[in-house]
């Protein structure tokens, strides 16, 4: 039952959980559609221009049923794309409200409604993430005013509600922010480039636990895979454990009584 | 020789409650990126009380509140806090026009050794530092002044004051630092009014309400009028009235037991030894019973739930040196995470 050796860092994108977010029509779904044997769980319309395998999802129950079929493994798909995770969360909310016969999450009092929704949402996403398929979660972006100790500023974050956002950020290996980078050409005209930002920044949320990706990369799946498949830097899985500090243990046996 | 590590009550308290949270804060030096508005309000009131007790003039207090909530015209939270702080301090000044005590010192920072009670030897790893709101004299006795803001003061709240490990511990250190005997603690409690500024109703909301009343009415008519938003002046007046009620300001005096000092000294020593052991082995375990201790998630709950994911650290937390409460200039702007 217990392991006899350490698990190696994940090498394959199909093993990872990825959050892709950005403004509408920038190309998030197109980017995801290029992944290996992709299956879209489409909670919102918008895939019309793409030739993809997709399951229309209208309710949380439909999502659970689709996840059940995916878990059975009798299919050729290797990457599951939940497009969008924002709508999935809303469906989860409707499901919990209907189950507990309430109109609004706050009707259960003391935050119980919200807690039930978040638990159900986390349960399903965690189960999906543990399946042997890549999991891509797609979200839109929004500007949020952040009040810190030193002042306020605007930050671009996924459109999920706050608690759901924290759940998702904690689950994923990559947080990829799709953005439009504006530069000037030789004549001074603006040049627009669709990019993905992969490293944390005060003005947007992003992250790369694999340590493989450059800070900015073209919003192009092939370019992304080339960068991802380069020899990896040290992965950043979690916070380091504390290391013993000089002087530790000095107090166990006092040198003098002091009296 | 290695410099001793400065520690505070907040650190030992957190270590006692949840070692993992203590590790996040004091080893990794992480605090949530977004500041806690409840703590921020308490810190503003502490600063107001320091100004008030320093000169007993209301104008500089109100000026400080105005400057703190300068964006109140655009920001609803700032406006709500500005109303509350203004009414609270005006009510406080009216409630205590004359004080029974004399101020000896305000916002006193101290530092002292942590002693092994078995041998009397000071710790070679740690010192304890802290900051007290003030020391006051009543007759020929000295008391620590401790300001608190609370949502309500009930029997449980008052009972809990007796278990206040922090202030009893601080008394011993203040005695050492100032060379005066502390007879007890004077708790100065200010209650946060739960009033909300009336937002009024829209035309559509009014129509819906009136239709409901008409449906219930036997005459088929209703004299209901549309509720208009409460003006700032009206709301401030209502808050000021609230702060004339008994119970919005409370003072409780507790005398210190000398035996408690020794017990707490011993407990503090044990905490230092447990901390050294945890740091040496690199093991700070989680106390899951503490995750929702204040009926809301601990500041580090998202981080623990994500097993310390760097994505969570990088996006939801920032590095801030420990013991912010000891810093003089910015302490009222920078809020302790705990």
């Amino acid at each position: 039952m217990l392991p006899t050796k350490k698990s190696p860092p994940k090498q394959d994108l199909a093993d990872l959980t990825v959050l892709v977010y950005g403004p509408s029509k920038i190309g998030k779904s197109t980017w995801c559609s290029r992944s290996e044997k992709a299956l879209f769980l489409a909670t919102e319309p918008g895939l019309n221009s793409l030739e993809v395998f997709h399951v229309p999802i209208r309710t949380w129950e439909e999502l659970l049923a689709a996840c059940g079929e995916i878990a059975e493994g009798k299919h050729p798909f290797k990457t599951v794309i939940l497009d969008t995770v924002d709508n999935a969360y809303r469906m989860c909310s409707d499901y919990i409200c209907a189950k507990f016969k309430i109109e609004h999450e706050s009707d259960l009092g003391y935050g119980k409604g919200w807690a039930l929704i978040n638990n159900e949402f986390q349960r399903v996403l965690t189960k999906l993430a543990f399946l042997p398929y890549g999991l891509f979660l797609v979200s839109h972006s929004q500007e949020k005013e952040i009040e810190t100790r030193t002042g306020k500023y605007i930050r671009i974050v996924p459109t999920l509600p706050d608690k759901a956002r924290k759940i998702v950020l904690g689950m994923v290996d990559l947080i990829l922010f799709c953005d439009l980078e504006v530069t000037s050409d030789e004549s001074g005209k603006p040049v627009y480039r669709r990019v993905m930002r992969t490293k944390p920044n005060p003005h947007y949320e992003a992250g790369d636990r694999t340590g493989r990706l450059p800070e900015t990369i073209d919003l192009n799946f092939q370019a992304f895979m080339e960068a991802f498949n380069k020899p990896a830097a040290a992965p950043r899985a979690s916070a380091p454990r504390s290391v013993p500090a000089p002087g530790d243990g000095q107090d166990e046996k006092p040198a003098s009584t002091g009296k | 020789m290695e410099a001793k590590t400065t520690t505070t009550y907040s650190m030992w308290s957190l270590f006692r409650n949840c070692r993992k949270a203590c590790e996040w804060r004091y080893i990794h030096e992480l605090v949530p990126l977004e500041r806690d508005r409840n703590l921020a309000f308490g810190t503003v009131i502490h600063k107001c009380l320091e100004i008030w007790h320093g000169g007993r003039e209301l104008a500089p207090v109100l000026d400080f509140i105005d400057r703190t909530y300068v964006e109140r015209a655009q920001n609803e939270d700032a406006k709500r806090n500005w109303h509350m702080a203004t009414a609270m301090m005006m009510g406080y000044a009216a409630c205590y026009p004359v004080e029974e005590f004399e101020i000896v010192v305000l916002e006193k920072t101290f530092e002292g050794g942590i002693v092994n009670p078995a041998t009397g030897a000071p710790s070679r790893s740690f010192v304890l530092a802290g900051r007290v709101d003030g020391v006051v004299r009543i007759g020929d006795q000295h008391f620590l002044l401790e300001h608190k803001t609370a949502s309500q003061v009930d029997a449980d709240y008052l009972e809990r004051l007796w278990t206040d490990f922090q202030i009893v511990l601080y008394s011993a250190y203040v005695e050492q630092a100032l060379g005066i005997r502390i007879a007890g603690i004077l708790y100065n409690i200010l209650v946060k009014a739960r009033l909300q500024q009336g937002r009024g109703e829209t035309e559509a909301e009014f129509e819906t309400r009136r239709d409901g009343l008409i449906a219930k009415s036997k005459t088929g008519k209703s004299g209901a009028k549309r509720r208009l938003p409460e003006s700032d002046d009206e709301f401030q007046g209502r808050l000021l009235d609230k702060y004339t009620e008994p119970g919005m300001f409370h003072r409780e005096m507790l005398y210190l037991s000398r035996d408690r000092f020794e017990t707490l000294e011993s407990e503090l020593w044990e905490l230092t030894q447990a901390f050294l052991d945890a740091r040496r082995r690199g093991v700070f375990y989680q106390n899951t019973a503490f995750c929702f201790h204040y009926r809301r998630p601990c500041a580090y709950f998202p981080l623990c739930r994500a097993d310390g994911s760097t994505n969570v650290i990088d996006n939801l937390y920032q590095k801030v040196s420990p013991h912010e409460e000891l810093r003089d200039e910015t302490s009222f702007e920078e809020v302790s995470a705990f």
Side-chain angles (χ1 to χ4, degrees):
Chain A
M1 182 75 181
L2 298 177
T4 53
K5 60 181 180 182
K6 290 180 181 175
S7 61
K10 293 171 182 173
Q11 302 291 330
D12 191 347
L13 190 61
D15 292 332
L16 301 181
T17 303
V18 181
L19 172 66
V20 183
Y21 80 102
S24 297
K25 303 296 169 199
I26 196 167
K28 302 182 291 293
S29 301
T30 306
W31 184 87
C32 290
S33 70
R34 305 287 187 262
S35 61
E36 191 182 4
K37 295 180 181 173
L39 170 66
F40 277 79
L41 302 178
T43 62
E44 68 174 30
L47 296 174
N48 298 340
S49 61
L50 295 173
E51 189 179 350
V52 291
F53 291 98
H54 77 277
V55 183
I57 303 289
R58 287 169 294 261
T59 65
W60 188 251
E61 287 92 334
E62 286 183 3
L63 181 68
L64 295 180
C67 292
E69 278 193 48
I70 292 166
E72 279 181 19
K74 295 172 186 170
H75 57 78
F77 303 110
K78 285 198 168 180
T79 311
V80 177
I81 298 148
L82 186 53
D83 187 3
T84 63
V85 68
D86 313 317
N87 270 1
Y89 186 79
R90 268 176 229 126
M91 290 171 186
C92 180
S93 171
D94 291 344
Y95 167 77
I96 292 293
C97 286
K99 187 174 175 182
F100 288 87
K101 296 183 175 65
I102 52 174
E103 281 186 16
H104 191 266
E105 299 86 341
S106 58
D107 290 350
L108 282 180
Y110 297 104
K112 191 179 169 189
W114 294 109
L116 288 167
I117 294 163
N118 291 331
N119 284 353
E120 171 68 5
F121 181 69
Q122 186 173 17
R123 179 187 73 79
V124 171
L125 286 195
T126 306
K127 210 168 168 180
L128 260 183
F130 277 136
L131 296 178
Y133 312 111
L135 176 62
F136 289 9
L137 307 173
V138 181
S139 176
H140 295 294
S141 60
Q142 64 178 344
E143 290 188 346
K144 186 182 179 208
E145 187 182 73
I146 304 281
E147 187 175 354
T148 69
R149 294 151 186 253
T150 48
K152 292 177 183 176
Y153 61 91
I154 300 295
R155 193 172 204 213
I156 300 172
V157 301
T159 41
L160 283 163
D162 211 37
K163 284 185 178 166
R165 196 177 106 246
K166 287 177 180 173
I167 289 171
V168 169
L169 291 189
M171 283 180 58
V172 298
D173 300 291
L174 302 175
I175 305 167
L176 305 175
F177 167 48
C178 304
D179 193 16
L180 210 54
E181 191 174 79
V182 186
T183 50
S184 300
D185 64 10
E186 289 169 357
S187 61
K189 287 182 180 172
V191 177
Y192 297 96
R193 178 185 164 215
R194 292 180 187 204
V195 296
M196 277 184 147
R197 305 194 187 278
T198 73
K199 306 292 181 196
N201 184 287
H203 300 292
Y204 51 81
E205 289 184 341
D208 168 23
R209 289 175 72 174
T210 66
R212 290 161 172 246
L213 300 172
E215 188 156 345
T216 307
I217 189 168
D218 281 333
L219 182 55
N220 171 306
F221 198 78
Q222 195 181 340
F224 173 85
M225 285 310 292
E226 280 169 14
F228 185 78
N229 288 328
K230 275 185 184 171
R236 301 180 68 227
S238 60
R241 292 180 86 195
S242 309
V243 290
D248 267 15
Q250 284 185 349
D251 286 335
E252 287 171 356
K253 292 175 184 172
S256 68
T257 61
K259 284 184 179 174
Chain B
M1 190 177 167
E2 288 288 332
K4 292 182 182 180
T5 304
T6 299
T7 66
T8 57
Y9 166 77
S10 298
M11 174 180 150
W12 295 118
S13 173
L14 191 62
F15 181 69
R16 193 165 56 169
N17 286 325
C18 178
R19 293 183 178 202
K20 195 71 198 170
C22 185
E23 184 190 21
W24 293 132
R25 178 66 189 101
Y26 294 97
I27 305 287
H28 298 298
E29 301 189 348
L30 296 174
V31 295
L33 193 60
E34 293 190 61
R35 75 172 182 171
D36 186 323
R37 291 194 173 119
N38 292 324
L39 290 175
F41 182 78
T43 313
V44 169
I45 293 301
H46 264 69
K47 186 66 188 172
C48 287
L49 289 167
E50 183 189 350
I51 298 170
W52 167 252
H53 286 290
R56 294 193 64 79
E57 284 184 38
L58 199 52
V61 176
L62 299 179
D63 180 52
F64 169 74
I65 295 170
D66 288 349
R67 282 186 287 114
T68 302
Y69 298 115
V70 72
E71 78 281 31
R72 60 189 177 278
Q74 299 87 32
N75 182 312
E76 280 300 312
D77 283 328
K79 187 174 158 185
R80 188 166 53 242
N81 286 336
W82 177 85
H83 271 302
M84 174 95 82
T86 302
M88 186 183 265
M89 289 311 299
M90 288 175 78
Y92 185 83
C95 182
Y96 303 110
V98 180
E99 290 291 8
E100 57 171 342
F101 55 73
E102 178 192 340
I103 298 285
V104 176
V105 65
L106 289 172
E107 295 298 323
K108 176 71 182 168
T109 305
F110 64 83
E111 184 176 295
I114 298 176
V115 176
N116 180 347
T119 63
S123 166
R124 283 182 287 162
S125 299
F126 303 111
V127 290
L128 184 83
R131 187 184 180 103
V132 290
D133 295 331
V135 177
V136 299
R137 185 163 46 227
I138 303 175
D140 57 355
Q141 291 185 315
H142 289 89
F143 292 81
L144 283 190
L145 180 63
E146 172 76 353
H147 304 309
K148 285 185 178 291
T149 51
S151 297
Q152 67 178 63
V153 178
D154 55 13
D156 284 350
Y157 186 91
L158 295 176
E159 286 284 333
R160 269 203 309 276
L161 294 178
W162 287 96
T163 65
D164 194 346
F165 175 68
Q166 173 182 8
I167 201 71
V168 177
L169 195 64
Y170 280 12
S171 312
Y173 284 88
V174 171
E175 284 192 350
Q176 287 172 26
L178 295 182
I180 51 176
R181 184 183 167 87
I182 301 294
I185 322 293
L186 178 62
Y187 286 100
N188 182 34
I189 305 162
L190 296 85
V191 178
K192 288 184 272 187
R194 290 181 176 177
L195 303 182
Q196 299 278 337
Q197 187 165 11
R199 65 175 182 89
E201 57 189 352
T202 62
E203 190 63 40
E205 285 170 338
F206 168 62
E207 293 291 343
T208 308
R209 184 169 65 86
R210 194 177 60 171
D211 289 348
L213 291 171
I214 290 171
K216 288 179 191 170
S217 166
K218 287 178 184 173
T219 61
K221 292 179 183 174
S222 169
K225 289 182 181 171
R226 184 179 161 193
R227 293 186 196 121
L228 297 173
E230 187 177 23
S231 72
D232 285 347
D233 287 345
E234 286 168 341
F235 182 50
Q236 187 59 214
R238 202 154 57 88
L239 271 173
L240 283 170
D241 285 346
K242 182 72 184 169
Y243 275 107
T244 60
E245 289 179 9
M248 296 307 283
F249 302 105
H250 183 85
R251 284 189 178 165
E252 189 81 10
M253 192 183 283
L254 300 184
Y255 280 86
L256 288 171
S257 147
R258 294 285 127 183
D259 294 341
R260 284 282 287 156
F261 283 165
E262 290 175 19
T263 306
L264 293 178
E265 194 177 46
S266 173
E267 281 182 21
L268 182 58
W269 180 260
E270 287 305 319
L271 286 171
T272 65
Q273 300 310 293
F275 185 89
L276 286 173
D277 184 53
R279 193 168 64 175
R280 186 169 49 244
R281 294 191 290 123
V283 177
F284 287 82
Y285 53 78
Q286 208 179 332
N287 173 14
T288 49
F290 189 70
C291 293
F292 289 85
H293 186 68
Y294 297 109
R295 295 193 174 203
R296 57 182 174 169
C298 157
Y300 298 100
F301 183 70
L303 193 44
C304 289
R305 184 174 52 193
D307 293 325
S309 160
T310 48
N311 279 340
V312 173
I313 292 175
D314 292 338
N315 287 292
L316 302 180
Y317 293 85
Q318 62 178 332
K319 275 205 165 210
V320 174
S321 302
H323 316 313
E324 298 164 273
E325 63 270 36
L326 300 179
R327 280 171 232 150
D328 281 330
E329 292 305 316
T330 56
S331 59
F332 69 89
E333 286 176 353
E334 296 185 340
V335 185
S336 169
F338 312 107

